[in-house]
Amino acid sequence: GMQFNDIIGVWIARLFTSFLPYTCVLRIMDCVLAEGLPVLHRIVVAVTKMYTKDILACRTGNDLEATLAKLMRTQTNAGVLIEEAFKTKIAKHFIQSLDLQHNIDHVPFHKVQVFSVPHFNSERPSKLASTADLRRIWMWLPNLLRIEDPVVLFSSDKDGYNFDNMLDLIRQKQANKEPIFVLVKSKDMPVVGFFLDW
């Protein structure tokens, strides 16, 4: 399995892209431009503090990598992350002593799984679209949205056949200006769908 130091090295070398939600990456980049590269180390500290219990429960390097990948991609809120990063007291001399000139040649990119290729959450997959279908759909999305993984919000198998409930979910996304795509299938027709970006 991966060593934690190797995982951190790839996070920093990739500026957390594909390891944290897109909104988090944008906030991190804002902070780097304003405060400098030491912000990246603050983010590492914040991530480890936020998920300390889960990290300590891991028995192997593979468990650690998989656990962090899932938590960071699905449960990290940008505001909470940045607040945690800057409320943590780190001595200025310690930040200044950090070696920020990482040698890219020694970062084990090939060992760390990258999650920018779209995939459904294994706990709630889609029965209407395979991973291959999803990747074809992704090619038609706006560039800035392709880094996000889809989340199945409504499925008639699990949520019933109440059309009003599905419309309520769409209205919530509209109110929050969050994009959504809808796939529909009946017995007599193939899967059809539409994409909404407010």
Side-chain angles (χ1 to χ4, degrees):
M2 288 289 296
Q3 296 294 319
F4 193 39
N5 285 344
D6 289 337
I7 295 174
I8 291 173
V10 178
W11 288 353
I12 292 175
R14 291 190 186 279
L15 300 177
F16 295 92
T17 300
S18 82
F19 296 103
L20 286 169
Y22 186 60
T23 51
C24 292
V25 174
L26 290 180
R27 292 287 298 276
I28 290 170
M29 291 306 301
D30 281 344
C31 294
V32 168
L33 291 173
E35 303 286 340
L37 290 176
V39 167
L40 299 177
H41 292 276
R42 286 189 171 276
I43 299 299
V44 171
V45 172
V47 168
T48 54
K49 286 185 67 177
M50 290 168 65
Y51 303 122
T52 297
K53 290 183 180 179
D54 302 278
I55 291 171
L56 294 177
C58 294
R59 300 297 181 187
T60 67
N62 289 335
D63 287 344
L64 175 64
E65 185 181 0
T67 298
L68 283 173
K70 179 180 179 181
L71 292 173
M72 289 171 69
R73 287 288 295 167
T74 63
Q75 297 188 29
T76 306
N77 176 276
V80 173
L81 176 67
I82 298 301
E83 181 180 356
E84 184 66 47
F86 282 94
K87 80 178 182 182
T88 301
K89 293 183 179 180
I90 303 177
K92 187 176 181 179
H93 66 84
F94 175 74
I95 289 289
Q96 292 173 341
S97 70
L98 292 171
D99 178 14
L100 297 177
Q101 302 302 320
H102 295 283
N103 189 335
I104 299 298
D105 293 335
H106 294 102
V107 175
F109 291 110
H110 63 285
K111 293 184 180 180
V112 180
Q113 186 177 358
V114 176
F115 296 89
S116 58
V117 176
H119 62 281
F120 288 109
N121 188 322
S122 60
E123 296 179 3
R124 187 160 187 178
S126 170
K127 290 189 175 181
L128 298 186
S130 66
T131 299
D133 294 330
L134 176 63
R135 292 175 185 175
R136 281 193 292 272
I137 293 170
W138 239 233
M139 295 304 296
W140 294 93
L141 294 182
N143 290 335
L144 291 178
L145 299 180
R146 292 183 189 176
I147 198 170
E148 293 282 4
D149 285 332
V151 177
V152 177
L153 298 173
F154 184 91
S155 170
S156 57
D157 288 342
K158 292 188 176 181
D159 303 301
Y161 292 87
N162 190 324
F163 191 67
D164 287 337
N165 288 344
M166 187 181 76
L167 289 178
D168 286 342
L169 282 171
I170 293 175
R171 292 187 189 103
Q172 290 174 19
K173 291 296 178 182
Q174 181 183 20
N176 295 328
K177 298 190 182 302
E178 296 177 287
I180 186 172
F181 66 87
V182 179
L183 300 176
V184 182
K185 184 181 186 305
S186 73
K187 290 182 179 180
D188 302 322
M189 71 176 190
V191 176
V192 296
F194 55 90
F195 173 72
L196 300 171
D197 187 9
W198 322 99

